[in-house]
Amino acid sequence: MRHFLTLNDFSKDEILAVTNLALKLKQELRNSNHTPYLKGKILAMIFEKSSTRTRVSFEGGIYQLGGHGMFLSHKDIQLGRGEPIKDTSRVISSMVDMVMMRTDRHEKLQEFAEYSSVPIINGLSDDFHPVQLMADYLTMLECGIALPDGIHKNGLKKPIVAYIGDGNNMAHSWINLAAILGFELRVASPLGYFPRTDIIESALKTCKQSGGAIHIMQEPQKAVSGVNVVVTDTWASMGQEEQKKEREKAFVGFCVDDSLMNLAQEDAIFLHCLPAYRGQEVSESVLEGKQSRVFQEANNRLHAQKAIMLALVRLNNLPLAYPLEMEL
């Protein structure tokens, strides 16, 4: 069974194909013409962490594809009362066609997938946020920053990305994407807040085949200099609220403001997965400025996740209600 727990579950060609499909689905929606490929299918959505974008995009996306999204708070199912994950997985997957899970420990997702009879999608874990990166890459492509691959048009600018901030699940997923697709990524974090060493080392091995380059540093100015994509994320993620004051001190100098953005290329774009805390990881002027693409990026969660769901159906040779042209 093919799942989507990290970006490493998709090959480079599959990531590019999913992005291309997302573009087509977005255009269909603009034309008020969305094909119900997943007519009659049920997506179970398990939330152990609250969400705005993840819930609305998945629930809206499965509806537009002709299926039904079932919201399952961990407080409302036996998982929240101590039922073993493997039992919950076997039961739920026997009744639905796909599961999206948003949780804390990544190991929970791995165990859920191990016992599931249907595809599992990581809606966010403490270690990775792959669905967000698919939306980010779609946004980059729309802005003319992506890898030409025979499907997308030539003349695109190859990504040079600076990620500024906490070495968290977003940083890990950016590291995965850069390694798989083969572009340059610079991660700037304070000492003590670097991304996980094992994730970096694994990505560097992949870079030897893909041509990617990953640099880890402490200097935001050095990271941003000459790049065409600048990314950041909140300094204190869900579950780290008690560390907020400590992190604010550690991250002094890591706010993406106008002076930092001015070091990037003139037509560089700014991305943030949201929610954003203005005046902390990003200034109001950058978030609301002409280089910001954060709300386009947020909207692209809908289209990217529709494409991910369809790709998993195709990759697992499951039936669709309507024929789908997709190069996988």
Side-chain angles (χ1 to χ4, degrees):
M1 181 63 64
R2 293 285 301 272
H3 305 290
F4 190 55
L5 306 187
T6 78
L7 288 162
N8 291 327
D9 289 327
F10 282 178
S11 68
K12 174 181 177 178
D13 288 343
E14 287 167 349
I15 288 174
L16 296 177
V18 170
T19 308
N20 192 56
L21 176 59
L23 282 172
K24 294 179 179 178
L25 293 171
K26 187 172 183 176
Q27 187 58 52
E28 277 192 6
L29 192 60
R30 283 174 175 164
N31 297 334
S32 300
N33 175 31
H34 33 91
T35 307
Y37 295 108
L38 298 181
K39 182 179 181 181
K41 303 290 186 185
I42 299 173
L43 170 70
M45 304 180 299
I46 300 174
F47 283 87
E48 292 192 300
K49 285 191 171 185
S50 59
S51 168
T52 297
R53 281 149 291 276
T54 300
R55 177 171 181 183
V56 175
S57 54
F58 268 109
E59 193 162 343
I62 189 68
Y63 176 80
Q64 289 176 0
L65 290 171
H68 174 72
M70 182 186 298
F71 174 78
L72 301 172
S73 166
H74 72 287
K75 297 177 181 178
D76 300 327
I77 59 177
Q78 297 301 325
L79 190 63
R81 297 180 59 200
E83 182 178 49
I85 292 173
K86 59 184 178 181
D87 292 358
T88 299
S89 176
R90 285 182 285 203
V91 170
I92 291 178
S93 66
S94 72
M95 301 178 185
V96 302
D97 302 283
M98 199 174 298
V99 177
M100 185 285 299
M101 189 172 183
R102 184 176 173 94
T103 186
D104 45 20
R105 292 188 302 106
H106 190 73
E107 291 78 12
K108 288 184 180 180
L109 271 163
Q110 292 174 313
E111 183 177 356
F112 203 101
E114 180 182 354
Y115 290 93
S116 173
S117 57
V118 298
I120 307 300
I121 300 171
N122 178 2
L124 175 141
S125 69
D126 284 357
D127 290 338
F128 301 99
H129 199 1
V131 292
Q132 178 66 54
L133 265 290
M134 294 300 294
D136 291 359
Y137 188 67
L138 173 59
T139 307
M140 290 162 59
L141 176 61
E142 291 178 324
C143 295
I145 305 169
L147 296 173
D149 60 276
I151 297 174
H152 305 141
K153 295 178 181 178
N154 292 326
L156 298 173
K157 296 175 66 175
K158 188 171 183 178
I160 309 173
V161 180
Y163 175 92
I164 309 300
D166 189 24
N168 59 13
N169 51 7
M170 282 297 297
H172 294 158
S173 292
W174 273 107
I175 288 168
N176 286 348
L177 188 70
I180 296 166
L181 297 188
F183 61 80
E184 182 180 354
L185 171 69
R186 307 169 190 172
V187 178
S189 304
L191 190 64
Y193 294 91
F194 284 176
R196 270 176 34 194
T197 302
D198 60 319
I199 292 173
I200 297 169
E201 290 176 348
S202 177
L204 289 174
K205 292 177 182 178
T206 303
C207 285
K208 291 180 179 179
Q209 284 78 46
S210 69
I214 296 169
H215 309 285
I216 310 297
M217 60 192 75
Q218 297 179 52
E219 305 86 1
Q221 293 78 11
K222 182 179 177 181
V224 170
S225 181
V227 304
N228 50 29
V229 181
V230 180
V231 191
T232 190
D233 188 20
T234 178
W235 295 338
S237 300
M238 281 183 287
Q240 298 175 333
E241 288 81 5
E242 74 284 354
Q243 304 174 25
K244 188 174 181 180
K245 294 298 181 182
E246 176 187 341
R247 284 172 170 265
E248 285 178 5
K249 293 179 182 178
F251 282 87
V252 169
F254 282 80
C255 177
V256 179
D257 55 17
D258 291 317
S259 63
L260 201 58
M261 282 298 298
N262 286 339
L263 299 175
Q265 294 181 26
E266 187 176 350
D267 58 352
I269 63 172
F270 172 75
L271 300 177
H272 191 308
C273 64
L274 301 179
Y277 297 90
R278 293 161 168 83
Q280 294 187 21
E281 75 271 10
V282 60
S283 68
E284 174 81 13
S285 57
V286 169
L287 190 71
E288 298 289 353
K290 64 180 181 179
Q291 292 171 284
S292 176
R293 298 292 182 274
V294 297
F295 296 106
Q296 176 184 350
E297 174 190 9
N299 172 255
N300 277 337
R301 288 287 301 275
L302 172 68
H303 315 294
Q305 287 162 193
K306 287 165 67 175
I308 290 166
M309 288 188 280
L310 288 174
L312 285 173
V313 170
R314 285 290 305 276
L315 289 168
N316 285 295
N317 297 312
L318 302 173
L320 287 166
Y322 295 84
L324 172 67
E325 293 184 12
M326 185 179 185
E327 298 287 340
L328 285 174

